[in-house]
Coordinates of all heavy atoms in Angstrom, one line a residue:
M4 N -9.4 39.3 7.4 CA -9.1 39.2 6.1 C -9.0 37.7 5.6 O -8.5 36.9 6.3 CB -7.7 39.9 5.8 CG -7.3 39.9 4.3 SD -5.7 40.8 4.0 CE -6.2 42.4 4.1
L5 N -9.6 37.5 4.4 CA -9.6 36.2 3.9 C -8.1 35.8 3.4 O -7.4 36.6 3.0 CB -10.5 36.1 2.7 CG -12.0 36.2 2.8 CD1 -12.7 36.2 1.6 CD2 -12.5 35.0 3.7
L6 N -7.9 34.5 3.5 CA -6.5 34.0 3.1 C -6.3 34.4 1.6 O -5.2 34.8 1.3 CB -6.4 32.5 3.3 CG -5.1 31.9 2.9 CD1 -3.9 32.6 3.7 CD2 -5.1 30.4 3.2
T7 N -7.4 34.3 0.8 CA -7.1 34.7 -0.7 C -6.7 36.1 -0.8 O -5.8 36.4 -1.6 CB -8.5 34.5 -1.4 OG1 -9.0 33.2 -1.1 CG2 -8.4 34.7 -2.8
D8 N -7.3 37.0 0.0 CA -6.9 38.4 -0.1 C -5.4 38.6 0.5 O -4.7 39.4 -0.1 CB -7.8 39.3 0.8 CG -9.3 39.2 0.3 OD1 -9.4 39.0 -1.0 OD2 -10.2 39.4 1.1
T9 N -5.1 37.9 1.5 CA -3.7 38.0 2.1 C -2.7 37.5 1.0 O -1.7 38.2 0.8 CB -3.6 37.2 3.3 OG1 -4.5 37.7 4.3 CG2 -2.2 37.2 3.9
I10 N -2.9 36.4 0.4 CA -2.1 35.9 -0.6 C -1.9 36.9 -1.8 O -0.8 37.2 -2.2 CB -2.5 34.5 -1.1 CG1 -2.4 33.5 0.0 CG2 -1.8 34.2 -2.4 CD1 -2.9 32.2 -0.2
E11 N -3.1 37.4 -2.2 CA -3.0 38.4 -3.3 C -2.2 39.6 -2.9 O -1.3 40.1 -3.7 CB -4.5 38.8 -3.7 CG -4.5 39.7 -4.8 CD -6.0 40.0 -5.3 OE1 -6.7 39.0 -5.6 OE2 -6.4 41.2 -5.3
K12 N -2.4 40.1 -1.8 CA -1.7 41.4 -1.4 C -0.2 41.1 -1.3 O 0.7 41.9 -1.7 CB -2.2 41.8 0.1 CG -1.5 43.0 0.6 CD -2.1 43.4 1.9 CE -1.3 44.6 2.5 NZ -1.4 44.8 3.9
K13 N 0.2 40.0 -0.7 CA 1.6 39.7 -0.5 C 2.3 39.5 -2.0 O 3.4 39.9 -2.2 CB 1.8 38.3 0.3 CG 1.5 38.6 1.7 CD 1.9 37.3 2.5 CE 2.6 37.7 3.8 NZ 3.1 36.5 4.5
L14 N 1.6 38.8 -2.9 CA 2.1 38.6 -4.2 C 2.2 39.8 -5.0 O 3.2 40.1 -5.7 CB 1.3 37.5 -5.0 CG 1.4 36.2 -4.4 CD1 0.5 35.2 -5.1 CD2 2.8 35.6 -4.4
I15 N 1.3 40.7 -4.8 CA 1.3 42.0 -5.5 C 2.5 42.8 -4.9 O 3.3 43.4 -5.8 CB 0.1 42.9 -5.3 CG1 -1.1 42.2 -6.2 CG2 0.3 44.3 -5.7 CD1 -2.4 42.7 -5.9
E16 N 2.8 42.8 -3.7 CA 3.9 43.6 -3.1 C 5.2 43.0 -3.4 O 6.2 43.8 -3.7 CB 3.7 43.6 -1.5 CG 2.7 44.5 -1.0 CD 2.4 44.3 0.5 OE1 3.2 43.6 1.1 OE2 1.6 45.0 1.0
A17 N 5.3 41.7 -3.5 CA 6.6 41.0 -3.9 C 6.9 41.1 -5.4 O 8.1 41.2 -5.7 CB 6.5 39.6 -3.3
F18 N 5.9 40.9 -6.3 CA 6.2 40.7 -7.7 C 5.6 41.7 -8.7 O 5.9 41.7 -9.8 CB 5.7 39.3 -8.1 CG 6.4 38.2 -7.3 CD1 5.6 37.5 -6.3 CD2 7.7 37.9 -7.4 CE1 6.2 36.5 -5.5 CE2 8.3 36.8 -6.7 CZ 7.6 36.2 -5.8
H19 N 4.8 42.6 -8.2 CA 4.2 43.7 -9.0 C 3.7 43.1 -10.3 O 4.1 43.5 -11.4 CB 5.2 44.8 -9.3 CG 5.8 45.3 -8.0 ND1 5.1 46.1 -7.2 CD2 7.0 45.1 -7.5 CE1 5.9 46.5 -6.2 NE2 7.1 45.9 -6.3
P20 N 2.8 42.1 -10.2 CA 2.3 41.3 -11.5 C 1.6 42.2 -12.4 O 0.9 43.1 -12.0 CB 1.5 40.2 -10.8 CG 1.0 40.7 -9.5 CD 2.1 41.6 -9.1
E21 N 1.6 41.8 -13.7 CA 0.8 42.3 -14.7 C -0.6 41.7 -14.7 O -1.6 42.3 -15.0 CB 1.4 42.1 -16.1 CG 2.6 42.8 -16.4 CD 3.2 42.6 -17.7 OE1 2.6 41.8 -18.6 OE2 4.4 43.0 -18.0
R22 N -0.6 40.4 -14.3 CA -1.8 39.6 -14.1 C -1.7 38.7 -12.9 O -0.6 38.2 -12.7 CB -2.1 38.7 -15.4 CG -2.9 39.3 -16.4 CD -3.3 38.4 -17.6 NE -2.7 37.1 -17.5 CZ -2.8 36.3 -18.6 NH1 -3.2 36.7 -19.7 NH2 -2.2 35.1 -18.5
L23 N -2.7 38.6 -12.2 CA -2.8 37.8 -10.9 C -4.2 37.3 -10.7 O -5.2 38.0 -10.7 CB -2.2 38.5 -9.7 CG -2.3 37.9 -8.4 CD1 -1.4 36.6 -8.4 CD2 -2.0 38.9 -7.3
A24 N -4.2 36.0 -10.4 CA -5.5 35.4 -10.0 C -5.1 34.4 -8.8 O -4.3 33.6 -9.0 CB -6.1 34.6 -11.2
V25 N -5.9 34.6 -7.8 CA -5.7 33.6 -6.6 C -7.1 32.9 -6.5 O -8.1 33.7 -6.2 CB -5.3 34.4 -5.3 CG1 -5.2 33.4 -4.2 CG2 -4.0 35.2 -5.5
I26 N -7.0 31.7 -6.7 CA -8.3 30.9 -6.8 C -8.4 29.9 -5.7 O -7.5 29.1 -5.4 CB -8.4 30.2 -8.1 CG1 -8.2 31.2 -9.3 CG2 -9.7 29.4 -8.2 CD1 -7.8 30.6 -10.5
N27 N -9.5 30.0 -4.9 CA -9.7 29.0 -3.8 C -10.3 27.7 -4.5 O -11.4 27.8 -5.0 CB -10.7 29.5 -2.8 CG -10.9 28.7 -1.6 OD1 -10.5 27.5 -1.7 ND2 -11.6 29.2 -0.6
E28 N -9.6 26.7 -4.4 CA -10.0 25.4 -5.0 C -10.4 24.3 -3.9 O -10.5 23.2 -4.1 CB -9.0 24.8 -5.9 CG -8.7 25.7 -7.1 CD -7.8 25.1 -8.1 OE1 -6.9 24.2 -7.7 OE2 -7.7 25.5 -9.2
S29 N -10.5 24.8 -2.6 CA -10.8 23.9 -1.5 C -12.0 22.9 -1.8 O -12.1 21.8 -1.5 CB -10.9 24.7 -0.3 OG -9.8 25.4 0.0
H30 N -13.0 23.6 -2.3 CA -14.3 22.8 -2.6 C -14.1 21.6 -3.5 O -14.9 20.7 -3.5 CB -15.4 23.8 -3.2 CG -15.0 24.3 -4.6 ND1 -14.1 25.3 -4.8 CD2 -15.4 23.9 -5.8 CE1 -13.9 25.5 -6.1 NE2 -14.7 24.7 -6.7
M31 N -13.1 21.7 -4.3 CA -12.8 20.5 -5.3 C -12.2 19.4 -4.5 O -12.1 18.3 -5.2 CB -11.9 21.0 -6.3 CG -12.5 22.2 -7.2 SD -11.3 22.9 -8.3 CE -10.7 21.6 -9.3
H32 N -11.8 19.5 -3.3 CA -11.1 18.5 -2.6 C -12.0 17.9 -1.4 O -11.5 17.2 -0.6 CB -9.8 19.0 -2.0 CG -8.9 19.5 -3.1 ND1 -8.1 18.6 -3.8 CD2 -8.8 20.6 -3.7 CE1 -7.5 19.2 -4.8 NE2 -7.9 20.5 -4.7
A33 N -13.3 18.2 -1.5 CA -14.2 17.6 -0.4 C -14.2 16.2 -0.5 O -14.2 15.6 -1.5 CB -15.6 18.2 -0.6
G34 N -14.1 15.6 0.7 CA -14.1 14.1 0.8 C -12.8 13.4 0.6 O -12.7 12.2 0.7
H35 N -11.7 14.2 0.2 CA -10.5 13.6 0.0 C -9.8 13.1 1.4 O -9.0 12.1 1.3 CB -9.5 14.5 -0.7 CG -9.8 14.8 -2.1 ND1 -9.0 15.5 -3.0 CD2 -10.9 14.4 -2.8 CE1 -9.6 15.5 -4.2 NE2 -10.8 14.9 -4.1
Q36 N -10.2 13.7 2.4 CA -9.8 13.3 3.7 C -11.0 13.1 4.7 O -12.0 13.9 4.5 CB -8.8 14.2 4.3 CG -7.5 14.4 3.6 CD -6.6 15.5 4.2 OE1 -6.9 16.0 5.1 NE2 -5.4 15.6 3.6
P37 N -10.9 12.2 5.6 CA -12.0 12.1 6.5 C -12.4 13.4 7.2 O -11.4 14.1 7.7 CB -11.6 11.0 7.5 CG -10.5 10.3 6.8 CD -9.8 11.3 5.8
G38 N -13.6 13.8 7.2 CA -14.1 15.0 7.8 C -13.8 16.3 7.1 O -14.2 17.3 7.5
F39 N -13.2 16.3 5.9 CA -13.0 17.5 5.1 C -14.1 17.7 4.2 O -14.4 16.9 3.3 CB -11.7 17.5 4.4 CG -11.4 18.8 3.6 CD1 -11.2 19.9 4.4 CD2 -11.4 18.8 2.3 CE1 -11.0 21.2 3.7 CE2 -11.1 20.0 1.6 CZ -10.9 21.2 2.3
D40 N -14.9 18.8 4.4 CA -16.1 19.1 3.6 C -15.8 20.0 2.4 O -16.7 20.3 1.7 CB -17.2 19.6 4.5 CG -16.9 21.0 5.0 OD1 -15.8 21.6 4.8 OD2 -17.7 21.6 5.8
G41 N -14.6 20.5 2.3 CA -14.2 21.4 1.1 C -14.4 22.8 1.5 O -14.3 23.7 0.7
G42 N -14.7 23.1 2.8 CA -15.0 24.5 3.2 C -13.5 25.1 3.6 O -12.5 24.4 3.6
G43 N -13.6 26.4 3.8 CA -12.4 27.0 4.2 C -11.5 27.4 3.0 O -11.9 27.4 1.9
E44 N -10.2 27.6 3.3 CA -9.3 28.1 2.4 C -8.0 27.2 2.5 O -7.0 27.7 3.1 CB -8.9 29.5 2.5 CG -10.1 30.5 2.1 CD -9.8 31.9 2.3 OE1 -9.5 32.3 3.5 OE2 -9.8 32.6 1.3
T45 N -8.0 26.0 2.1 CA -7.0 25.0 2.3 C -6.2 24.7 1.1 O -5.1 24.3 1.1 CB -7.4 23.7 2.9 OG1 -8.4 23.2 2.1 CG2 -8.0 24.0 4.4
H46 N -6.9 24.8 -0.1 CA -6.2 24.5 -1.4 C -6.4 25.8 -2.3 O -7.5 26.2 -2.7 CB -7.0 23.4 -2.0 CG -6.9 22.0 -1.2 ND1 -7.5 21.9 0.0 CD2 -6.3 21.0 -1.5 CE1 -7.2 20.7 0.4 NE2 -6.5 20.1 -0.5
M47 N -5.3 26.3 -2.7 CA -5.3 27.5 -3.6 C -4.5 27.3 -4.9 O -3.5 26.6 -4.9 CB -4.5 28.7 -2.8 CG -5.3 29.0 -1.5 SD -7.0 29.6 -1.8 CE -7.1 30.8 -0.5
R48 N -4.9 28.1 -5.8 CA -4.1 28.1 -7.1 C -3.7 29.6 -7.4 O -4.6 30.5 -7.2 CB -5.0 27.6 -8.2 CG -4.3 27.7 -9.6 CD -5.1 27.0 -10.7 NE -5.3 25.5 -10.4 CZ -4.5 24.6 -10.6 NH1 -3.3 24.9 -11.2 NH2 -4.8 23.3 -10.3
V49 N -2.5 29.8 -7.8 CA -2.0 31.1 -8.0 C -1.6 31.2 -9.5 O -0.7 30.3 -9.9 CB -0.8 31.4 -7.2 CG1 -0.1 32.7 -7.6 CG2 -1.2 31.7 -5.7
R50 N -2.2 32.1 -10.2 CA -1.8 32.3 -11.6 C -1.2 33.7 -11.7 O -1.9 34.7 -11.3 CB -3.0 32.1 -12.6 CG -3.5 30.7 -12.6 CD -4.8 30.6 -13.5 NE -5.1 29.2 -13.6 CZ -6.3 28.8 -14.0 NH1 -7.3 29.6 -14.2 NH2 -6.5 27.5 -14.1
I51 N 0.0 33.8 -12.1 CA 0.7 35.1 -12.0 C 1.6 35.3 -13.2 O 2.4 34.4 -13.6 CB 1.5 35.2 -10.6 CG1 2.1 36.6 -10.4 CG2 2.4 34.0 -10.5 CD1 2.6 36.8 -9.1
V52 N 1.6 36.5 -13.7 CA 2.5 37.0 -14.8 C 3.2 38.2 -14.2 O 2.6 39.2 -13.8 CB 1.7 37.3 -16.0 CG1 2.7 37.9 -17.1 CG2 1.0 36.1 -16.6
S53 N 4.5 38.1 -14.2 CA 5.3 39.1 -13.6 C 6.8 39.2 -14.3 O 7.3 38.1 -14.6 CB 5.6 39.0 -12.1 OG 6.4 39.9 -11.6
S54 N 7.2 40.4 -14.6 CA 8.5 40.6 -15.1 C 9.6 40.1 -14.1 O 10.7 39.8 -14.6 CB 8.8 42.1 -15.5 OG 8.6 42.9 -14.4
A55 N 9.2 40.0 -12.9 CA 10.2 39.5 -11.9 C 10.6 38.0 -12.2 O 11.7 37.6 -11.7 CB 9.6 39.6 -10.5
F56 N 9.9 37.4 -13.0 CA 10.1 35.9 -13.3 C 11.0 35.8 -14.6 O 11.4 34.7 -14.9 CB 8.9 35.1 -13.5 CG 8.0 35.0 -12.2 CD1 6.7 35.3 -12.3 CD2 8.6 34.9 -11.0 CE1 5.9 35.2 -11.2 CE2 7.8 34.7 -9.9 CZ 6.5 35.0 -10.0
T57 N 11.2 36.9 -15.3 CA 12.1 36.9 -16.5 C 13.5 36.3 -16.2 O 14.2 36.7 -15.3 CB 12.2 38.3 -17.1 OG1 10.9 38.8 -17.4 CG2 13.0 38.2 -18.4
G58 N 13.9 35.3 -17.0 CA 15.1 34.7 -16.8 C 15.2 33.7 -15.6 O 16.3 33.1 -15.4
M59 N 14.2 33.5 -14.9 CA 14.1 32.5 -13.8 C 13.6 31.1 -14.3 O 12.7 31.0 -15.1 CB 13.2 32.9 -12.7 CG 13.7 34.2 -11.9 SD 12.5 34.7 -10.6 CE 12.7 33.5 -9.4
S60 N 14.3 30.1 -13.8 CA 13.7 28.8 -14.1 C 12.4 28.6 -13.5 O 12.0 29.3 -12.5 CB 14.6 27.7 -13.6 OG 14.6 27.6 -12.2
R61 N 11.7 27.6 -13.9 CA 10.3 27.3 -13.3 C 10.5 27.0 -11.8 O 9.7 27.4 -11.0 CB 9.7 26.1 -14.1 CG 8.3 25.7 -13.6 CD 7.8 24.6 -14.5 NE 6.5 24.3 -13.9 CZ 5.7 23.4 -14.5 NH1 6.1 22.7 -15.6 NH2 4.6 23.0 -14.0
V62 N 11.5 26.1 -11.5 CA 11.7 25.8 -10.1 C 12.0 27.1 -9.2 O 11.5 27.3 -8.2 CB 12.9 24.8 -9.9 CG1 13.2 24.6 -8.4 CG2 12.4 23.5 -10.6
A63 N 12.8 28.0 -9.7 CA 13.1 29.2 -9.1 C 11.8 30.1 -8.9 O 11.7 30.7 -7.7 CB 14.2 30.0 -9.8
R64 N 11.0 30.1 -9.8 CA 9.8 30.8 -9.7 C 8.9 30.3 -8.6 O 8.4 31.0 -7.7 CB 9.0 30.8 -11.0 CG 9.7 31.5 -12.2 CD 9.0 31.4 -13.4 NE 9.7 32.0 -14.5 CZ 9.3 32.1 -15.8 NH1 8.1 31.6 -16.1 NH2 10.0 32.7 -16.7
H65 N 8.7 29.0 -8.5 CA 8.0 28.3 -7.5 C 8.6 28.6 -6.2 O 7.9 28.9 -5.2 CB 7.9 26.8 -7.8 CG 6.8 26.5 -8.8 ND1 5.7 25.8 -8.5 CD2 6.9 26.7 -10.2 CE1 4.9 25.7 -9.6 NE2 5.7 26.1 -10.6
R66 N 9.9 28.5 -6.1 CA 10.6 28.8 -4.8 C 10.3 30.2 -4.3 O 10.1 30.4 -3.1 CB 12.0 28.5 -4.9 CG 12.4 26.9 -4.9 CD 13.9 26.7 -4.9 NE 14.1 25.3 -4.9 CZ 15.2 24.7 -5.5 NH1 16.1 25.4 -6.1 NH2 15.3 23.4 -5.4
A67 N 10.4 31.1 -5.2 CA 10.2 32.5 -4.8 C 8.8 32.8 -4.3 O 8.7 33.5 -3.3 CB 10.5 33.4 -6.1
I68 N 7.8 32.2 -4.9 CA 6.4 32.3 -4.4 C 6.3 31.6 -3.1 O 5.6 32.1 -2.2 CB 5.5 31.8 -5.5 CG1 5.5 32.8 -6.7 CG2 4.1 31.7 -5.0 CD1 4.8 32.2 -8.0
N69 N 6.8 30.4 -3.0 CA 6.7 29.7 -1.8 C 7.4 30.4 -0.6 O 6.9 30.4 0.5 CB 7.3 28.3 -1.9 CG 6.4 27.3 -2.6 OD1 5.2 27.6 -2.8 ND2 6.9 26.3 -3.1
D70 N 8.4 31.1 -0.9 CA 9.1 31.9 0.1 C 8.3 33.0 0.7 O 8.2 33.3 1.8 CB 10.5 32.5 -0.4 CG 11.6 31.4 -0.5 OD1 11.4 30.3 0.0 OD2 12.6 31.7 -1.2
V71 N 7.6 33.7 -0.3 CA 6.7 34.9 0.1 C 5.6 34.3 0.9 O 5.2 34.9 1.9 CB 6.2 35.5 -1.2 CG1 5.1 36.5 -0.9 CG2 7.4 36.3 -1.8
L72 N 5.0 33.1 0.6 CA 3.8 32.6 1.2 C 4.2 31.6 2.3 O 3.2 30.8 2.8 CB 2.9 31.9 0.1 CG 2.5 32.9 -0.9 CD1 1.5 32.2 -1.9 CD2 1.7 34.1 -0.3
K73 N 5.4 31.5 2.8 CA 5.8 30.5 3.8 C 4.9 30.6 5.1 O 4.5 29.6 5.6 CB 7.3 30.7 4.1 CG 7.8 29.6 5.1 CD 9.3 29.7 5.4 CE 9.8 28.6 6.2 NZ 9.0 28.0 7.1
P74 N 4.7 31.8 5.6 CA 3.8 31.9 6.8 C 2.5 31.3 6.6 O 1.9 30.6 7.5 CB 3.7 33.4 7.0 CG 4.9 34.0 6.4 CD 5.1 33.2 5.2
E75 N 1.9 31.4 5.4 CA 0.6 30.9 5.2 C 0.7 29.3 5.0 O -0.2 28.7 5.5 CB -0.1 31.4 3.9 CG -0.5 33.0 4.0 CD 0.6 33.9 4.2 OE1 1.7 33.7 3.7 OE2 0.4 34.9 4.9
L76 N 1.7 28.9 4.4 CA 1.9 27.4 4.3 C 2.2 26.8 5.7 O 1.6 25.8 6.1 CB 3.1 27.1 3.3 CG 2.8 27.4 1.9 CD1 4.1 27.6 1.1 CD2 1.9 26.3 1.3
D77 N 3.0 27.5 6.5 CA 3.2 27.0 7.9 C 2.0 27.0 8.8 O 1.9 26.3 9.7 CB 4.3 27.9 8.6 CG 5.6 27.6 7.9 OD1 5.9 26.6 7.2 OD2 6.6 28.5 8.2
A78 N 1.0 27.9 8.4 CA -0.2 28.1 9.3 C -1.3 27.2 8.8 O -2.4 27.3 9.4 CB -0.7 29.6 9.2
G79 N -1.1 26.4 7.9 CA -2.1 25.4 7.4 C -2.6 25.4 6.0 O -3.5 24.6 5.8
L80 N -2.1 26.3 5.2 CA -2.4 26.2 3.8 C -1.9 24.8 3.3 O -0.7 24.5 3.3 CB -1.8 27.3 3.0 CG -2.0 27.3 1.5 CD1 -3.5 27.3 1.1 CD2 -1.3 28.5 0.8
H81 N -2.8 23.9 2.9 CA -2.4 22.6 2.7 C -1.9 22.4 1.2 O -0.9 21.5 1.1 CB -3.7 21.7 2.8 CG -3.5 20.2 2.5 ND1 -2.8 19.4 3.3 CD2 -3.9 19.5 1.4 CE1 -2.8 18.2 2.8 NE2 -3.5 18.2 1.7
A82 N -2.4 23.1 0.3 CA -2.0 22.8 -1.2 C -1.9 24.2 -1.8 O -2.8 25.0 -1.7 CB -2.9 21.9 -1.9
L83 N -0.9 24.4 -2.6 CA -0.7 25.6 -3.4 C -0.2 25.2 -4.8 O 1.0 24.7 -5.1 CB 0.4 26.5 -2.7 CG 0.7 27.8 -3.4 CD1 -0.5 28.7 -3.4 CD2 1.8 28.5 -2.7
A84 N -1.1 25.4 -5.7 CA -0.7 25.2 -7.2 C -0.3 26.5 -7.8 O -0.9 27.6 -7.5 CB -1.9 24.6 -7.9
V85 N 0.9 26.5 -8.4 CA 1.5 27.8 -8.9 C 1.6 27.7 -10.4 O 2.2 26.7 -10.9 CB 2.7 28.0 -8.2 CG1 3.4 29.3 -8.7 CG2 2.6 28.1 -6.7
E86 N 1.2 28.7 -11.1 CA 1.3 28.8 -12.5 C 1.9 30.2 -12.8 O 1.3 31.1 -13.1 CB -0.1 28.7 -13.2 CG -0.7 27.4 -13.0 CD -2.1 27.3 -13.6 OE1 -2.3 27.8 -14.7 OE2 -3.0 26.7 -13.0
P87 N 3.3 30.3 -12.6 CA 4.0 31.6 -12.9 C 4.4 31.7 -14.3 O 4.8 30.7 -15.1 CB 5.2 31.4 -12.0 CG 5.4 30.0 -12.0 CD 4.2 29.3 -12.1
A88 N 4.5 33.0 -14.8 CA 5.0 33.2 -16.2 C 5.5 34.6 -16.1 O 5.2 35.5 -15.4 CB 3.9 33.1 -17.2
A89 N 6.5 34.8 -17.1 CA 7.1 36.1 -17.4 C 6.2 36.7 -18.5 O 5.5 36.0 -19.3 CB 8.5 36.1 -17.7
P90 N 6.2 38.1 -18.7 CA 5.5 38.6 -19.8 C 5.8 38.1 -21.1 O 7.0 37.9 -21.3 CB 5.8 40.2 -19.6 CG 6.1 40.3 -18.2 CD 6.8 39.0 -17.8
G91 N 4.9 37.8 -22.0 CA 5.2 37.3 -23.3 C 5.2 35.8 -23.4 O 5.2 35.3 -24.5
E92 N 5.3 35.1 -22.2 CA 5.3 33.6 -22.2 C 3.8 33.1 -22.3 O 2.9 33.8 -21.8 CB 5.9 33.1 -20.9 CG 7.4 33.3 -20.8 CD 8.0 32.8 -19.5 OE1 7.3 32.5 -18.6 OE2 9.3 32.8 -19.4
A93 N 3.7 32.0 -22.9 CA 2.4 31.4 -23.1 C 1.8 31.0 -21.7 O 2.5 30.4 -20.9 CB 2.4 30.2 -24.0
T94 N 0.5 31.2 -21.6 CA -0.2 30.6 -20.4 C -1.3 29.8 -20.9 O -1.8 30.1 -22.0 CB -0.6 31.8 -19.4 OG1 -1.5 32.6 -20.2 CG2 0.5 32.6 -18.9
R95 N -1.8 28.9 -20.0 CA -3.0 28.2 -20.4 C -4.3 28.9 -19.8 O -5.4 28.3 -19.8 CB -3.0 26.8 -19.8 CG -1.7 26.0 -20.4 CD -1.7 24.6 -19.9 NE -1.5 24.7 -18.4 CZ -1.6 23.6 -17.7 NH1 -1.9 22.5 -18.1 NH2 -1.3 23.7 -16.3
W96 N -4.2 30.1 -19.3 CA -5.3 30.7 -18.8 C -5.4 32.2 -19.3 O -5.3 33.0 -19.3 CB -5.3 30.7 -17.2 CG -3.9 31.0 -16.7 CD1 -2.9 30.1 -16.5 CD2 -3.4 32.2 -16.1 NE1 -1.8 30.7 -16.0 CE2 -2.1 32.0 -15.8 CE3 -3.9 33.5 -16.1 CZ2 -1.2 33.1 -15.3 CZ3 -3.1 34.5 -15.5 CH2 -1.9 34.3 -15.2

């Protein structure tokens, strides 16, 4: 299973989102480190709208997502950009 799919599945189970996009941005980081060609799944962006985030601070939302994805981060996911929102909040996407 692709890491993108694993992340999506875990976030759906944990937050039951109204909207979710898991985007592999690894290719955008090619050449940033010696020997890194931008392949694989090392840099991800998560865009998520869930009622689970209602009343939570931005930091608390990020922590909740990082807690769910801790095994993936520990296993080598290098970067995780998170754009969480509660229903009705403005998003840039």
Side-chain angles (χ1 to χ4, degrees):
M4 179 181 283
L5 293 174
L6 181 58
T7 306
D8 297 333
T9 300
I10 290 171
E11 184 174 301
K12 181 180 178 201
K13 286 183 144 191
L14 294 176
I15 288 170
E16 289 175 2
F18 301 109
H19 308 286
E21 292 180 7
R22 265 185 359 195
L23 175 63
V25 179
I26 305 158
N27 183 352
E28 295 184 339
S29 301
H30 65 282
M31 297 169 60
H32 300 273
H35 288 188
Q36 294 178 2
F39 182 64
D40 65 359
E44 295 179 295
T45 58
H46 296 71
M47 299 296 213
R48 178 171 302 275
V49 169
R50 293 176 171 161
I51 183 170
V52 176
S53 172
S54 60
F56 300 134
T57 301
M59 292 176 74
S60 70
R61 184 176 176 176
V62 170
R64 294 172 183 186
H65 281 252
R66 285 182 179 152
I68 291 168
N69 284 343
D70 286 347
V71 169
L72 300 179
K73 185 175 184 341
E75 288 70 29
L76 291 161
D77 289 346
L80 177 58
H81 177 73
L83 180 64
V85 180
E86 298 177 41
E92 293 180 348
T94 61
R95 296 182 298 170
W96 43 278

